[in-house]
Amino acid sequence: VKDFSEEIRVETSEKLRFPHGFSTRIGGVSEGIYESLNLGMNRGDIKERVIENWNRFLEACNISQKEFVCGEQVHGNNVHIADYSDLRPAYGPGEMNVADGYVTNKPGIPLAIFTADCVPVLLEDYDNRVAGAVHCGWRSTVADIQKETIEKMISLNASLDNIHVAIGPAIDRCCFEVGKEVFCIFVLRL
């Protein structure tokens, strides 16, 4: 078995103890506009390449499970409590949940979210074995997806005092302009 950990660049957080990672585009097998570590299953890339990219990414994150939980993200605040029935391989069979966040207390369930401009957030209560992954766009942030995630984690026996959070890479303010209508929504929430 080839060791891909040097080829793939995965960002991690010192705040989290569960195996985890924020992917980059480095170290995959996709070509052309999808180069190189494309993990998007619905973007038009060749299926076998995306599957190989997922296998490489999971291995680089020290995750042995080759099935994971992901879904259709709609910029809302729905957080799904995942169990083994939600596991799926890349391009796997079955319907996907409509959710922008996942939490679980079941061992060996990798949670995957997709971001481009939005903010990926990973949460864990290592002591109580509860983990979460959240896709935080501005709409889901206004809809308080973070609160929904923490409440669902607590429902799975997480302790608020033990939850650690890692915020992943996202678009920078130099590259993303927010209109007055969005600004006003955030001001009204204060």
Side-chain angles (χ1 to χ4, degrees):
V1 175
K2 186 174 180 181
D3 176 16
F4 298 110
S5 61
E6 289 183 8
E7 295 178 13
I8 291 184
R9 184 171 164 210
V10 174
E11 302 294 332
T12 60
S13 170
E14 295 177 4
K15 301 288 183 191
L16 304 180
R17 294 164 50 191
F18 286 131
H20 69 282
F22 299 102
S23 71
T24 67
R25 295 292 301 259
I26 299 170
V29 298
S30 294
E31 298 175 352
I33 63 170
Y34 306 107
E35 188 177 341
S36 135
L37 187 70
N38 174 40
L39 300 173
M41 296 175 284
N42 60 353
R43 300 290 181 230
D45 197 359
I46 296 170
K47 174 182 176 178
E48 291 75 19
R49 290 181 180 165
V50 176
I51 291 169
E52 176 61 21
N53 288 340
W54 270 104
N55 289 338
R56 289 180 178 207
F57 173 67
L58 292 169
E59 186 174 322
C61 294
N62 294 316
I63 297 172
S64 60
Q65 173 64 262
K66 297 303 181 203
E67 295 181 317
F68 49 90
V69 173
C70 68
E72 180 183 348
Q73 297 170 185
V74 295
H75 298 275
N77 71 344
N78 184 32
V79 178
H80 178 73
I81 296 176
D83 62 28
Y84 297 111
S85 67
D86 296 307
L87 286 169
R88 56 182 286 121
Y91 281 100
E95 293 187 29
M96 295 194 335
N97 294 304
V98 176
D100 284 274
Y102 300 94
V103 297
T104 192
N105 62 352
K106 305 294 184 202
I109 295 184
L111 306 174
I113 53 152
F114 300 91
T115 62
D117 301 344
C118 298
V119 180
V121 177
L122 303 178
L123 306 94
E124 74 171 24
D125 176 342
Y126 188 82
D127 295 338
N128 292 306
R129 315 305 286 169
V130 182
V134 186
H135 166 251
C136 296
W138 73 263
R139 287 178 181 88
S140 49
T141 299
V142 167
D144 219 351
I145 193 167
Q146 299 86 347
K147 178 182 175 192
E148 292 292 323
T149 304
I150 290 171
E151 287 176 353
K152 294 269 174 93
M153 290 179 73
I154 290 170
S155 79
L156 295 176
N157 203 35
S159 169
L160 187 58
D161 294 336
N162 288 341
I163 295 175
H164 294 255
V165 178
I167 300 172
I171 196 164
D172 197 347
R173 66 182 176 177
C174 68
C175 303
F176 188 76
E177 187 173 317
V178 176
K180 192 173 189 171
E181 70 284 356
V182 175
F183 174 78
C184 289
I185 291 170
F186 277 93
V187 169
L188 291 173
R189 296 236 350 127
L190 299 175

